[in-house]
Amino acid sequence: MVRRHPLVSEALLSACAAAAIAAVLAWLGPPGTDLAAHAYQRTLFLEHGFTLWNNFWYAGRYSFVTYSLIYYPLAAALGIKLLAVATIALAALAFAVIVWREWGPATRWSSRSFAAVWAGIVLSAAFPFALGFALALLSIWALQAGARWRFAGLAVLALAASPLAFLLLAIVLAGVAFGRRVSLRSAWIPLAVIVSAGLGEVVLWRLFPGGGRFPFHTADVIAGSAFCLLGVALTWRVERARVLQFFFAVYLAAMIGSYIVPSELGGNIERLRFIAIPLAVLILALRHWRPLPVAIVVLVLAVSWNVSPLVASYVHGQEDVTASAATWTGPIAFLKAHAGPDVRIEAVDTANHWPAVYLADANIPLARGWFRQDDFPQNQVLYSKLGPDAYLNWLHGLGVGYVVLARTTPDYSARAESALVRSGRAGLARVYDDRTIAIYRVPHFEPIVTGPGRSRVVSMTQARIVVAVSKGGTYRVAVRYSPYWRTSDGCLSNGKDGMLRLTTLHARVARIGFIVSADSAFDQLAGQRPTCKLP
């Protein structure tokens, strides 16, 4: 009889436990915080394929290409929940193998705790990151086994699933290289893979620049830095934990850099908090849980940092009545009847962001959606002390005709907006109310297209706008500018406010389409901007 290696049993136990917990949370628990974004993006992919632009969120934004190249095709094929369970189980399997092969049987409680807490990521619904993280762990496993070309393929897939997961992979590998004093000659393949893949991502961001940033709050960077400093302190002079010591040092430097330099990364770099418990257990096991009082305090802090966002997601998910499609039947019918293609809608954001799904699914263009980095700088006013004048200016600038307010917990960015709309101080008139959703009409509404003559949006789709103007001149189109907008009915330019400008010589119906060609991509890469020249 052949006896199974203990590592095999431990890895399978971790994978099965993670899959079971994730399945219970996915099918019986509340919807995760980010589920709305993925539900809409999956529907978008099913209906329109790998489209590069979406007019129905944030007055237009790049879609898929700079967020996740492979998650939504996989989610379309397997479903969001099944894919989530599979990737979580795969990550638990890979983590168990990696830590056992590196540090031996003492890591079993680290891998078991990983299986339990990593399954909790279902409550946040950070599923593209979870997919990328699983692929990153598999790439580390391949590197441990000396399969460098398999590592290369898995690392590139991790980048295609989640640039954030790829960045964390690079941080881990940097910690390993410093901790083991790896020479460049022996590590040239992994280094070449990371550098070339990273440069490829930079080119992609150059071709499709978002221009936004993700907030990173001071309290969060303090908590993350404290976690890293504790990690460095607890691994100091613990020879077996030398790699972990350098990992925490590199992670701390990356976190501080992300805080100092605003970017679309921002506070996302703290995603490793979702495995704070297994990392703490791993360190303490290598120290043989000595001294015990310190070990207990560190574990309590790790539990707090790891679990607190998951608990918040669970509570918000339980409270949110807007997750049901039936909630939106009446409001959608009202908006379809009263708001034409020349009217954008502002849905006051909720804790779980479901307005961004159901209204956009109905082809109703929204001033916001659910990618927080797209809020900055265009919608930054909502995150500060909000007064009636500033709010109305923001609504008018985006062509918003109606404001939708759900009676549920608002997102933290929408608390001031929700209070202002309810107070009546902004002069919005309530025109619909079904006790769950209220709709308000914006006073002195300004349409999406404004200019020297009469103008209107005839139609709007994901990547196309048809505009009718009564005479020649330059018209402001309240849609985000991109160098890939094209029209044969005039010329297009970028306004100082980042919105599209259409210039024509005569009255016409202008058809504006989002078209990426080799020439336009090369011009964007080279930094050449289209110019508006009419005969």
Side-chain angles (χ1 to χ4, degrees):
M1 180 177 179
V2 178
R3 187 172 182 179
R4 179 182 294 173
H5 192 283
L7 171 55
V8 176
S9 299
E10 192 64 38
L12 290 176
L13 172 65
S14 296
C16 291
I21 298 170
V24 169
L25 292 175
W27 274 279
L28 300 180
T33 306
D34 286 353
L35 183 60
H38 307 316
Y40 174 63
Q41 295 276 91
R42 177 178 182 268
T43 300
L44 184 65
F45 180 85
L46 287 169
E47 293 180 353
H48 302 281
F50 200 87
T51 180
L52 297 177
W53 185 264
N54 178 11
N55 273 325
F56 295 107
W57 270 12
Y58 291 104
R61 67 180 299 273
Y62 293 114
S63 182
F64 302 133
V65 65
T66 55
Y67 184 72
S68 181
L69 295 174
I70 64 173
Y71 173 76
Y72 294 105
L74 288 173
L78 300 177
I80 290 175
K81 294 179 180 179
L82 180 59
L83 180 59
V85 172
T87 56
I88 287 168
L90 195 59
L93 178 75
F95 184 86
V97 172
I98 290 167
V99 296
W100 183 295
R101 294 183 66 171
E102 183 69 24
W103 293 287
T107 63
R108 59 168 53 91
W109 285 108
S110 177
S111 58
R112 292 173 185 179
S113 63
F114 179 93
V117 301
W118 185 246
I121 204 168
V122 170
L123 296 175
S124 77
F127 294 141
F129 172 69
L131 173 62
F133 194 70
L135 291 165
L137 288 174
L138 288 173
S139 71
I140 295 173
W141 181 359
L143 203 55
Q144 273 187 327
R148 295 188 175 185
W149 294 112
R150 186 164 78 236
F151 157 80
L154 289 166
V156 171
L157 286 175
L159 175 61
S162 167
L164 174 60
F166 178 81
L167 174 62
L168 295 178
L169 169 64
I171 290 172
V172 170
L173 295 180
V176 172
F178 288 130
R180 291 182 174 173
R181 298 186 178 93
V182 177
S183 67
L184 291 177
R185 177 177 296 181
S186 62
W188 75 268
I189 292 179
L191 180 62
V193 169
I194 295 298
V195 171
S196 58
L199 289 175
E201 184 67 14
V202 170
V203 169
L204 200 61
W205 281 99
R206 175 74 175 176
L207 289 172
F208 303 99
R213 63 184 186 274
F214 194 95
F216 200 173
H217 303 294
T218 302
D220 293 332
V221 76
I222 290 173
S225 298
F227 177 73
C228 291
L229 290 172
L230 279 172
V232 171
L234 290 171
T235 53
W236 194 265
R237 294 184 179 178
V238 180
E239 187 59 32
R240 296 184 67 199
R242 182 180 173 84
V243 166
L244 291 173
Q245 179 186 339
F246 279 89
F247 157 71
F248 281 115
V250 175
Y251 188 34
L252 174 62
M255 195 177 302
I256 293 174
S258 181
Y259 178 75
I260 294 173
V261 182
S263 69
E264 294 196 22
L265 175 61
N268 282 315
I269 199 170
E270 281 198 323
R271 287 279 177 88
L272 281 186
R273 71 185 300 177
F274 291 126
I275 60 168
I277 293 173
L279 286 176
V281 171
L282 175 60
I283 294 170
L284 296 173
L286 296 176
R287 293 179 58 91
H288 305 291
W289 295 83
R290 296 173 186 168
L292 186 58
V294 173
I296 293 173
V297 170
V298 168
L299 188 59
V300 169
L301 292 174
V303 169
S304 173
W305 199 50
N306 197 147
V307 172
S308 55
L310 301 178
V311 171
S313 295
Y314 181 86
V315 172
H316 290 152
Q318 292 282 64
E319 294 175 347
D320 199 343
V321 297
T322 63
S324 170
T327 302
W328 296 96
T329 303
I332 287 173
F334 176 89
L335 292 172
K336 288 286 189 181
H338 294 85
D342 209 28
V343 179
R344 185 169 280 117
I345 305 302
E346 160 59 357
V348 179
D349 201 14
T350 67
N352 280 50
H353 321 287
W354 287 103
V357 177
Y358 295 112
L359 296 179
D361 270 348
N363 291 331
I364 294 172
L366 300 179
R368 299 183 74 191
W370 177 227
F371 280 102
R372 199 174 299 280
Q373 51 266 53
D374 284 320
D375 273 328
F376 298 89
Q378 178 177 282
N379 306 328
Q380 189 170 355
V381 64
L382 301 178
Y383 289 76
S384 57
K385 187 176 180 181
L386 191 63
D389 291 341
Y391 185 52
L392 288 174
N393 287 337
W394 178 77
L395 294 173
H396 293 157
L398 290 172
V400 173
Y402 292 91
V403 174
V404 177
L405 179 65
R407 290 184 173 88
T408 189
T409 304
D411 180 69
Y412 80 86
S413 68
R415 291 169 189 162
E417 181 184 11
S418 175
L420 182 61
V421 172
R422 292 176 189 275
S423 71
R425 291 190 298 121
L428 277 67
R430 187 165 57 189
V431 292
Y432 174 93
D433 197 336
D434 63 9
R435 298 186 180 182
T436 302
I437 307 292
I439 300 177
Y440 297 79
R441 185 173 58 242
V442 176
H444 312 298
F445 157 70
E446 293 183 10
I448 290 176
V449 181
T450 54
R454 294 189 306 275
S455 58
R456 63 188 178 93
V457 175
V458 177
S459 65
M460 181 184 292
T461 61
Q462 294 292 335
R464 185 177 173 84
I465 311 164
V466 179
V467 175
V469 299
S470 63
K471 65 179 184 179
T474 297
Y475 292 80
R476 180 183 186 268
V477 184
V479 171
R480 280 182 170 177
Y481 173 81
S482 167
Y484 303 111
W485 283 120
R486 292 290 183 270
T487 184
S488 58
D489 304 301
C491 69
L492 304 170
S493 59
N494 186 8
K496 292 181 179 180
D497 57 0
M499 295 294 170
L500 191 63
R501 295 295 190 273
L502 167 67
T503 301
T504 68
L505 292 177
H506 310 288
R508 64 174 64 246
V509 174
R511 293 165 177 83
I512 305 170
F514 185 90
I515 301 171
V516 179
S517 65
D519 289 342
S520 60
F522 181 80
D523 288 344
Q524 173 63 17
L525 193 60
Q528 298 180 11
R529 298 291 182 264
T531 56
C532 185
K533 294 181 180 179
L534 291 175

